[in-house]
Amino acid sequence: MTASTSRRWIEWLPATLLVVAGAAILWAQLRGQDAPADPGDWEPAARHVAEHLQDGDAILVHPAWNIDGLPFLSDRGDHVLRQRQPVAGDLQGIDTLWVMSETPRVHTVDRRLPFSAQQLDVTEFGPVSVARISVPDRLQADWEALNHLQDADVRKVTPSGSEPCTIWSAAERRWDCTSRDRWIYVGEVLKPLGEDIHRAIWMHPPGGESAIEITFSDVEWTDWLTVRGGLTFMGSRFDGGSDVTLEVAIGGETVETVVFDGETTTWRPIEVSTSAFESPADVTFTVRSPNVRDRFFCLNAWTWRAGAAPPTGPPERSGVE
């Protein structure tokens, strides 16, 4: 070996040792883990879920990135939750969750839920298990805005007045104003908001000094109104997008004004105490932004049962709900 060759080996030696050490650590970690389930291992668990599934049930696959079990549930697709980490609003109308999970991970599903589910009813099928989990009653809302979209009053508010949007499409569940518009409408959508996808009400502001407004009449109040809102993922990608302002009014009185960053996607919860308001009362959501481009804003809202705290904070993990 020549002197120059020796110098090159010495120069490369630290990097070589780092690569070898990293590979050795990775190999040791992989050996220490249970081998993942093969795709075919999910079939018995999926068959079990399909046989026991009832109306009001939903299916959650765990971990979220492992979709090997989904082909075996092709005829139950409408029961599969689309969210990686569902919030309370995503669980409306759901009584029971059937969790299909890699067996070593089944007890970590609690981290993905908006309630404590530490004691699981688990049936094992080798490397894949099924956990049956009851959704707490307190997560079921008394009222959800999206369910009353067809009865809402939608308006485009301009400096010169208020223009009613009276063109309703029952098939698409959307309101248009004077004519159908690709962006400026109010309607039901399923969009990426924050770190997940959610059913929501699309409310694209018209820009300038104008706003889009939706009013729900005679809402029965208990203690809390939860509003979630935010720009979609695509809306947040627009460089230089203007902020979006959401105003919440009850009985004509503004109770919350929230500004959403124009380059951030979110599904932010806003809690409004409603116990002091007369019931029923109208609730109005007004959305505005100075720049019309790509302001893909969505929202939804819920009222909760009397005496129930709004289920948007981190759940208590010390007990079982």
Side-chain angles (χ1 to χ4, degrees), residues 56 58 88 91-97 113-115 133-140 321:
L91 299 178
Q92 297 308 297
I94 296 175
D95 301 319
T96 301
L97 282 177
L113 301 175
F115 61 93
I133 303 174
S134 296
V135 177
D137 287 343
R138 68 176 181 83
L139 264 67
Q140 299 303 316
E321 298 288 343

Side-chain angles (χ1 to χ4, degrees), residues 51-129:
E51 290 173 354
H52 292 84
L53 202 64
Q54 303 289 326
D55 292 340
D57 292 357
I59 304 168
L60 187 69
V61 177
H62 183 65
W65 46 260
N66 193 330
I67 60 174
D68 288 341
L70 294 183
F72 303 108
L73 296 166
S74 58
D75 58 345
R76 297 289 191 273
D78 55 338
H79 287 269
V80 177
L81 284 182
R82 300 173 173 89
Q83 294 78 27
R84 291 172 303 209
Q85 191 159 358
V87 296
D90 301 316
L91 299 178
Q92 297 308 297
I94 296 175
D95 301 319
T96 301
L97 282 177
W98 294 88
V99 180
M100 291 175 51
S101 172
E102 296 173 359
T103 296
R105 300 175 186 264
V106 67
H107 291 282
T108 66
V109 70
D110 183 69
R111 304 170 190 171
R112 294 179 54 192
L113 301 175
F115 61 93
S116 178
Q118 295 177 343
Q119 295 182 357
L120 307 179
D121 178 9
V122 178
T123 304
E124 292 191 7
F125 297 90
V128 177
S129 291

Side-chain angles (χ1 to χ4, degrees), residues 139-154:
L139 264 67
Q140 299 303 316
D142 269 6
W143 175 90
E144 181 176 3
L146 190 57
N147 292 339
H148 297 270
L149 181 60
Q150 67 278 5
D151 301 318
D153 179 68
V154 177

Side-chain angles (χ1 to χ4, degrees), residues 142-295:
D142 269 6
W143 175 90
E144 181 176 3
L146 190 57
N147 292 339
H148 297 270
L149 181 60
Q150 67 278 5
D151 301 318
D153 179 68
V154 177
R155 294 176 177 270
K156 181 180 178 182
V157 181
T158 68
S160 60
S162 176
E163 172 189 328
C165 303
T166 58
I167 306 172
W168 167 252
S169 170
E172 297 176 278
R173 288 184 54 77
R174 62 177 278 170
W175 289 97
D176 285 279
C177 299
T178 54
S179 61
R180 184 180 178 89
D181 191 283
R182 184 177 181 183
W183 308 114
I184 313 300
Y185 70 92
V186 174
E188 180 173 347
V189 292
L190 180 69
K191 295 290 183 180
L193 294 154
E195 298 180 355
D196 231 320
I197 61 174
H198 304 279
R199 291 173 61 246
I201 300 173
W202 174 279
M203 291 189 65
H204 193 308
E209 298 182 18
S210 299
I212 198 75
E213 179 182 279
I214 185 169
T215 298
F216 297 91
S217 300
D218 297 329
V219 177
E220 297 281 352
W221 302 119
T222 51
D223 300 314
W224 292 95
L225 169 72
T226 297
V227 185
R228 281 189 180 268
L231 284 164
T232 69
F233 173 75
M234 289 302 297
S236 70
R237 299 287 289 175
F238 176 56
D239 187 22
S242 57
D243 294 347
V244 177
T245 300
L246 168 65
E247 296 176 5
V248 182
I250 296 177
E253 176 187 345
T254 299
V255 294
E256 289 285 346
T257 300
V258 183
V259 178
F260 292 81
D261 181 81
E263 297 181 1
T264 303
T265 180
T266 184
W267 194 227
R268 186 199 309 179
I270 304 156
E271 303 297 355
V272 180
S273 176
T274 56
S275 57
F277 290 91
E278 292 185 4
S279 179
D282 296 350
V283 58
T284 300
F285 304 106
T286 305
V287 179
R288 66 181 77 246
S289 184
N291 185 352
V292 69
R293 183 169 179 185
D294 290 0
R295 301 301 78 200

Side-chain angles (χ1 to χ4, degrees), residues 14-51:
T16 304
L17 290 175
L18 284 174
V19 171
V20 172
I25 292 171
L26 178 60
W27 179 78
Q29 289 177 339
L30 292 175
R31 280 202 64 187
Q33 293 179 350
D34 293 321
D38 292 328
D41 294 332
W42 293 80
E43 184 174 9
R47 188 166 56 246
H48 174 81
V49 170
E51 290 173 354

